[in-house]
Amino acid sequence: MTDIRTHLIRPAEGIPEGFASLSQGVFHASTVVFPDVASFLRRQAQAHTGYSYGQNGTPTHYALANKLSELEGGAAHTVLVPSGLAAVVLVNSMLLAAGDHVLLPDSIYGPTLEVTQTLFAKWGIRHTVYPNDTGADIAELFEDKTRLVWTESPSSNTLQMQDIPAIVAAAHAHQIKVAMDNTWATALGFRALDAGVDYSVQALTKYVGGHSDLLMGAVSTRDVAAHHALRDTAELLGYYVAADECFLALRGLPTLALRLERQYASALRIASFLQNHAAISQVNYPPRPGDAYHHLWQRDFKLGNGLLSFTLQQNTMQAIENFVASLQLFPLGNSWGGVHSLIAVAPQRAASGWLLRLHVGVEQVDDLLADLAQALAVLEG
Ligand SMILES: *Cc1c(COP(=O)(O)O)cnc(C)c1O
C-alpha cells in the first residue's frame, strides 16, 4: 500500500458497475492517459473520434455533439465551440484563404458582419454584402474566388427570411458552399442540412441552452472531410468548451421541443395582439399569417419560436423608454432563447427609429399579454 498522501493523488474509481442514471455523467480532463506506449504514440489518429487530449473531447462532449448531430439529422457530424460567434469564425477559418471571397446578407447577425469586416478583411478575405431578399439571382454576385455564401433566416432583429433552397441551388451550381446561421429555428424548425446547406451553425447559447446561463456554439455538416477539417481548425484556434457547460446544454435538449412549442404558441398570440394594437405600426414574426415573409416560413419551416420584433407608432426614444420602463415581465437584456421573456431595443438598419425585440418566454401568456397591454396603455394615456 502506498502512502495515503500518494494514494490521494491517484484517480478514484470510474463509473461503478451497477450504477445507471438518466443524467449524463460529467467528465473533466485536460490529460487523457493511455495504457501503453503504442497507443500513446497513435493518439493523433484518434483526434477526430476518440480520446487523445481534453481539447478533443471527453465522453460528455461527445454525448452533446452526438445528440446535436442526431437533431440535425442524416448522419451529421458536429463540432462544439465556445460561442455562436466562434462557430461563425470557425467556418470562415476552415474554408477561406487570403484572396477568397465570401457573401453575407445585409440582415445577418451584426458580429458576423463585423468579424468579416475586421479580422477576415485584415487577413485578405474579401466580402460582399447582398440584399436579404436575393434568391437565385445571387449567382450574379459570384466571382472567381467566391467560396462561401452565408445565410441566416429569419434574421434575429428584423425577422427577415431568405429563400434558402434557391440560394443553395445557385451556389452549388458553381461549387460554392453555403453556411446557415440556423439559431432562430434550430433543426426542429428548419432542417438546414436537408435543404442542402453545407454548414449548419447554431448559437447553443439560445434555445438549446434554453436558460440564459451558458454560451456555446456548434457547426454541423454531413461532409466527413469537412467535419475533420473543422475539428482540426478548432484545435488550431484553441477552441474548447467546458464539460460542465456541455452538461447544461445536454440538460436543455429534452425540453427543447416543449419549450419551443410553448414559446411559439405564446408568440403567435402576442404577435397578433400587437399587430391589432393602435400603438403599434409593424410586427415582424414570419409564422404570423400576414407577415411579409409568411410564405417562405410556411413553405420551409415546421416550428416557430418566441422571438419577434415590432415598431411603435410613436417611434421616439422617449416613447420607447416609457414603454420599456412600464413593463413588469419583460426585463431589458440581450440574447434570447431562454425560458424568460425579455425585451431589447435596436436601431433600425433600413429606416430611422427603433426596433423593439421581444423574446417570449414560458410564462403564462395571459400574464404577458396583460403586461404588454398596460405598458402600451401608458403610451396612449
Ligand atoms: C446570439 C447569436 C449568435 C452568437 O451567439 P453567441 O453565443 O452569443 O456568440 C449568432 N447568431 C445569431 C443569430 C444569434 O442570435
Side-chain angles (χ1 to χ4, degrees):
M1 177 66 182
T2 48
D3 188 312
I4 182 61
R5 290 169 294 180
T6 299
H7 188 68
L8 286 175
I9 295 163
R10 311 284 305 158
E13 274 177 58
I15 302 171
E17 204 162 323
F19 173 76
S21 158
L22 296 174
S23 172
Q24 174 64 45
V26 180
F27 297 91
H28 296 99
S30 52
T31 300
V32 170
V33 295
F34 298 85
D36 50 50
V37 171
S39 49
F40 178 73
L41 294 177
R42 258 202 326 268
R43 70 189 181 283
Q44 274 310 326
Q46 303 245 75
H48 294 137
T49 51
Y51 305 108
S52 56
Y53 182 53
Q55 203 217 21
N56 305 110
T58 70
T60 315
H61 296 83
Y62 280 107
L64 175 59
N66 291 342
K67 272 269 194 265
L68 292 170
S69 298
E70 287 165 12
L71 176 60
E72 294 287 332
H77 304 273
T78 300
V79 180
L80 304 172
V81 291
S83 68
L85 184 57
V88 171
V89 169
L90 178 63
V91 172
N92 285 352
S93 304
M94 183 277 283
L95 200 68
L96 303 173
D100 286 345
H101 177 244
V102 57
L103 287 161
L104 303 103
D106 55 9
S107 55
I108 200 143
Y109 178 67
T112 298
L113 179 60
E114 207 178 315
V115 73
T116 309
Q117 289 169 329
T118 56
L119 284 186
F120 289 104
K122 187 173 83 173
W123 295 331
I125 291 151
R126 294 170 311 107
H127 69 277
T128 300
V129 175
Y130 66 91
N132 168 87
D133 290 334
T134 312
D137 46 344
I138 190 128
E140 291 163 22
L141 300 172
F142 293 161
E143 302 178 5
D144 285 350
K145 299 278 272 177
T146 304
R147 299 286 308 278
L148 178 65
V149 179
W150 271 102
T151 60
E152 181 180 327
S153 181
S155 54
S156 60
N157 279 341
T158 52
L159 284 292
Q160 291 166 282
M161 293 195 67
Q162 296 196 264
D163 190 341
I164 303 293
I167 292 172
V168 165
H172 286 180
H174 292 79
Q175 284 77 50
I176 293 169
K177 302 290 187 193
V178 178
M180 179 176 184
D181 186 332
N182 195 26
T183 298
W184 190 90
T186 80
L188 291 180
F190 181 65
R191 306 268 297 176
L193 298 180
D194 285 354
V197 166
D198 298 284
Y199 314 110
S200 169
V201 163
Q202 278 280 308
L204 305 178
T205 308
K206 307 290 165 57
Y207 281 111
V208 170
H211 295 77
S212 312
D213 55 6
L214 73 91
L215 285 143
M216 203 186 293
V219 183
S220 301
T221 180
R222 289 180 182 161
D223 175 344
V224 177
H227 171 67
H228 289 171
L230 287 164
R231 282 201 45 124
D232 292 341
T233 306
E235 184 171 350
L236 290 169
L237 289 169
Y239 282 170
Y240 172 73
V241 297
D244 290 314
E245 307 276 283
C246 291
F247 174 82
L248 287 177
L250 277 161
R251 197 150 83 165
L253 282 173
T255 57
L256 178 63
L258 274 179
R259 285 184 281 110
L260 281 169
E261 284 159 15
R262 167 64 172 257
Q263 290 172 274
Y264 167 40
S266 297
L268 262 182
R269 279 192 58 191
I270 287 175
S272 58
F273 163 78
L274 292 173
Q275 186 65 49
N276 294 322
H277 198 288
I280 304 285
S281 66
Q282 193 187 322
V283 176
N284 308 305
Y285 188 59
R288 184 186 63 82
D291 185 276
Y293 291 95
H294 185 66
H295 62 291
L296 285 179
W297 189 86
Q298 183 86 344
R299 188 191 72 184
D300 295 341
F301 282 51
K302 293 191 300 198
L303 184 64
N305 70 6
L307 195 74
L308 57 101
S309 65
F310 60 96
T311 46
L312 297 177
Q313 286 287 2
Q314 223 182 313
N315 200 342
T316 64
M317 191 34 80
Q318 189 57 54
I320 285 175
E321 279 176 5
N322 292 344
F323 173 69
V324 170
S326 306
L327 290 168
Q328 302 294 313
L329 296 177
F330 294 85
L332 184 62
N334 259 330
S335 203
W336 43 274
V339 291
H340 314 93
S341 288
L342 285 171
I343 191 151
V345 182
Q348 277 184 282
R349 269 194 204 168
S352 63
W354 300 86
L355 202 59
L356 285 158
R357 189 179 73 184
L358 212 60
H359 181 252
V360 178
V362 302
E363 299 90 346
Q364 296 300 305
V365 66
D366 289 334
D367 291 334
L368 297 177
L369 285 164
D371 192 35
L372 289 164
Q374 66 78 24
L376 289 168
V378 168
L379 278 188
E380 292 183 310

